[in-house]
Amino acid sequence: MKTVFALTLALLAMVPAARADDEKPYKVENGKVDQATFNGYRRYGNSCLQCHGPDGAGSSYAPNLTESLKHLSHEQFAETVINGRQNISSSQQNVMPSFGHVEDVVTYLDDIYGYLKARSDGALGRGRPERIGR
């Protein structure tokens, strides 16, 4: 447990400071994305798609992340992914497991965020994106 806590603290310390409004965590040119955003798409498909559905559009039991990221900061996103979340009410129970111990998620958290933020901002459509330079 101490190891997971230490890893979580170290990863949160690596979360970049708030970005300027004009600085985006992704690059999209003519519908094509940079390598980091493409990697975020791939990592999302490996670790997040099962619950949050294709392209971050949500499912019957996990929220639409393209909508969520219109209201969440990078720091809030990272904190939720690393530590998980439980929202339990009389009408529903939503549980997001902690991914702070999943190396393929925490190592590439910025890439996943960049991909989902591009989708959220409307800069990137659904489906597998093409990479810039290909």
Side-chain angles (χ1 to χ4, degrees):
M1 188 61 141
K2 282 185 176 182
T3 305
V4 171
F5 182 71
L7 177 60
T8 299
L9 286 177
L11 290 169
L12 284 174
M14 292 173 24
V15 172
R19 294 176 168 89
D21 286 340
D22 58 343
E23 185 181 341
K24 304 292 182 190
Y26 56 84
K27 184 175 182 180
V28 179
E29 293 178 355
N30 299 320
K32 295 182 179 184
V33 300
D34 63 320
Q35 181 62 41
T37 304
F38 183 79
N39 191 46
Y41 163 80
R42 289 180 39 237
R43 300 294 175 170
Y44 174 87
N46 287 339
S47 301
C48 313
L49 180 135
Q50 297 88 337
C51 295
H52 291 281
D55 310 305
S59 71
S60 61
Y61 55 91
N64 179 334
L65 296 176
T66 63
E67 286 300 315
S68 295
L69 286 186
K70 291 179 181 177
H71 311 287
L72 288 177
S73 68
H74 181 276
E75 292 77 17
Q76 291 168 322
F77 173 81
E79 199 276 326
T80 300
V81 172
I82 291 169
N83 296 316
R85 174 186 289 168
Q86 270 193 359
N87 293 331
I88 300 175
S89 68
S90 59
S91 63
Q92 65 181 12
Q93 178 176 335
N94 295 325
V95 177
M96 163 81 181
S98 166
F99 281 85
H101 62 284
V102 180
E103 189 174 338
D104 275 353
V105 173
V106 294
T107 302
Y108 300 100
L109 193 59
D110 288 343
D111 293 352
I112 296 168
Y113 176 79
Y115 162 68
L116 289 170
K117 189 64 176 158
R119 291 273 304 119
S120 177
D121 289 350
L124 184 61
R126 296 189 78 165
R128 181 185 175 103
E130 290 187 53
R131 283 180 277 174
I132 295 170
R134 293 212 173 215

